[in-house]
Amino acid sequence: MRFTYILLLFSIITFSQNKPLDVKINAITFKDLKPNIRKYTIDYQIENLTNQEISFFLTPNTLIANAASSMTLFPIYKIYINGEFTPLDGPFFEKYGIDWETFRETNKNLTTTEFKELAQKTYDAFQNTNKAIIENYKKGGGKNTDDHWILENDNLMKSKVTLKPNEIRLFEIQTNWDKDRYFKQDDLEYYLDEKDNYEFELILDLKKTAFQNQLSEEEFSAIEKDKSFIQGIFTSNKILIDFK
């Protein structure tokens, strides 16, 4: 029994020593933009704990709730209420494509006509960028004919993050809360009571080969063989967050 315990302890120590990276939340600040809109800025860092270069897939500047995080490139967040994890999709939500919330806030002083014109230009530019990605892929000899796949592949390959040995890189996530306090999902519900204490945690669920369908055969083979390309689940510290 004692021998088994020693082996288990040795395995835990060895694993912790070999952990390739560390994620740490440095600060969470907020600003009330409107009576019903609060903007949060989450400053965090990822540190390469090894003396070798490492790479992984991650879209570091947005986030997704733990309840909706299957097969995601985003950092996953958890909310703890009075020390207990609450497994619900919210109160923050992931952002895809154009961030219209930020767009509206940034351009709130424009007239209605000016706003509509700028919104159309922004949307057209976004669409033109996607068209250019597809055209460049095909001109470069890409074999896939599915435009949706081409865009997903481009997004995945651009999400590759590489850290030099012992490098610490800083990241920032901006997200909004509409100040709704009551949430319900299926049979699960909760209320953000001003009297409660809240903690926030980030999780990096890094996958190496799970995105095979979004990669060409050559890309998948290269990543699969790349020993510097890591996978695993890495959890940050918990930090207080204000919902008062």
Side-chain angles (χ1 to χ4, degrees), residues 40-69:
Y40 290 85
T41 300
I42 301 157
D43 293 303
Y44 72 102
Q45 66 181 47
I46 301 176
E47 179 179 2
N48 180 357
L49 299 177
T50 77
N51 57 7
Q52 299 177 342
E53 188 176 272
I54 61 173
S55 298
F56 47 88
F57 287 131
L58 182 70
T59 303
N61 299 119
T62 188
L63 79 178
I64 191 169
N66 180 78
S69 63

Side-chain angles (χ1 to χ4, degrees), residues 207-221:
K207 299 176 175 66
K208 179 175 180 178
T209 57
F211 298 103
Q212 182 175 0
N213 292 336
Q214 298 173 31
L215 298 165
S216 68
E217 291 183 7
E218 296 78 10
E219 289 167 341
F220 178 75
S221 178

Side-chain angles (χ1 to χ4, degrees), residues 12 19 24 40 47 67 81 86 96-97 137 143 159 192 222:
I12 293 173
K19 187 174 78 165
K24 178 184 177 183
Y40 290 85
E47 179 179 2
I81 302 178
T86 304
Y96 296 95
Y137 172 84
K143 301 176 183 178
S159 75
L192 296 179

Side-chain angles (χ1 to χ4, degrees), residues 14-23 46-56 163-168 204 206 227-234:
T14 302
F15 177 79
S16 63
Q17 289 175 338
N18 293 332
K19 187 174 78 165
L21 65 80
D22 179 71
V23 54
I46 301 176
E47 179 179 2
N48 180 357
L49 299 177
T50 77
N51 57 7
Q52 299 177 342
E53 188 176 272
I54 61 173
S55 298
F56 47 88
L163 298 180
K164 296 177 182 179
N166 305 118
E167 179 183 359
I168 298 175
L204 306 186
L206 306 180
K227 294 182 179 179
S228 71
F229 211 105
I230 67 168
Q231 62 182 351
I233 298 175
F234 305 91

Side-chain angles (χ1 to χ4, degrees), residues 19 21-25 45 76 78 80 200-206 232-238:
K19 187 174 78 165
L21 65 80
D22 179 71
V23 54
K24 178 184 177 183
I25 303 172
Q45 66 181 47
I76 299 163
K78 289 184 176 182
Y80 293 81
F200 181 93
E201 180 181 72
L202 280 179
I203 298 169
L204 306 186
D205 184 3
L206 306 180
I233 298 175
F234 305 91
T235 303
S236 78
N237 55 314
K238 295 176 186 175

Side-chain angles (χ1 to χ4, degrees), residues 67-83:
S69 63
S70 178
M71 291 298 291
T72 183
L73 291 169
F74 304 148
I76 299 163
Y77 75 88
K78 289 184 176 182
I79 299 290
Y80 293 81
I81 302 178
N82 298 325

